Amino acid sequence: VSLQVHGFSVASVVADATSAVLPLVRSNANTLDVRGAEDAGDLVADAHKVRQILINLIGNASKFTSHGSVTVSCSRLGSGPSSEIVIAVSDTGIGMTPEQLARIRAFEPFVQADGGIARRFGGTGLGLTISQRFASLLGGRLEIESEYGRGSTVTVHLPAVVPEHLLPDDLPLV
């Protein structure tokens, strides 16, 4: 997997991802609220991978929520190149039991919380695994919290600047 690293605003990639999944959000009669994107500043990373992470997370939140809300909250921790961008995608959906959450946190491909849920809501069970792998490739990580019947929050933590040791030798930091 190659990286195409350049600078871009958190707000622009969040706006792009949310517009891509807005039809899915609306198809389940959900609302979408974006908070803090304008204040989160810039990232030096692979915009396409960050966009795909967000599409996966917002898409999952929308898929497992009906007549509820999906919230994308963005913030920056610290300042300068060592700062971290934190984007949390929360929903008021079905949530997961502790057992389901443990299976999902393993980030195994094709693993879903529950077979019946997979049949009811669709999907392949790859979105979270891909998102976790992209976040790791960019020097970040995913965290998942959920409460059955109340919803879930998936938080992606990304360094504001992809660490140089993760870049291929022939890819200068732009």
Side-chain angles (χ1 to χ4, degrees):
V1 177
S2 65
L3 290 177
Q4 302 295 319
V5 176
H6 62 279
F8 56 92
S9 73
V10 172
S12 67
V13 76
V14 169
D16 191 30
T18 55
S19 69
V21 295
L22 197 53
L24 176 60
V25 172
R26 291 183 175 154
S27 73
N28 282 344
N30 295 315
T31 61
L32 178 63
D33 185 23
V34 177
R35 301 175 182 168
E38 294 293 332
D39 299 326
D42 292 335
L43 261 170
V44 178
D46 186 316
H48 298 293
K49 288 184 178 43
V50 175
R51 178 183 184 272
Q52 190 60 55
I53 291 168
L54 295 176
I55 286 172
N56 290 343
L57 300 184
I58 299 165
N60 276 350
S62 300
K63 189 178 355 175
F64 295 107
T65 304
S66 180
H67 296 83
S69 63
V70 176
T71 303
V72 180
S73 302
C74 308
S75 61
R76 181 181 214 95
L77 301 178
S79 61
S82 63
S83 62
E84 180 179 71
I85 303 298
V86 180
I87 304 172
V89 178
S90 302
D91 64 63
T92 59
I94 62 173
M96 290 179 269
T97 66
E99 296 79 21
Q100 291 169 332
L101 188 56
R103 281 198 300 276
I104 292 297
R105 282 182 174 154
F107 294 112
E108 293 294 327
F110 306 108
V111 170
Q112 296 184 325
D114 176 282
I117 290 171
R119 283 186 295 280
R120 181 173 165 208
F121 293 96
T124 61
L126 286 173
L128 280 177
T129 300
I130 290 168
S131 296
Q132 185 272 337
R133 292 194 178 155
F134 281 176
S136 179
L137 189 65
L138 298 169
R141 69 188 188 285
L142 287 187
E143 295 174 349
I144 305 171
E145 299 298 326
S146 187
E147 187 176 342
Y148 185 71
R150 302 200 69 161
S152 302
T153 300
V154 182
T155 305
V156 59
H157 298 261
L158 296 171
V161 177
V162 172
E164 285 193 45
H165 73 274
L166 295 176
L167 300 176
D169 291 335
D170 61 341
L171 182 67
L173 200 54
V174 179

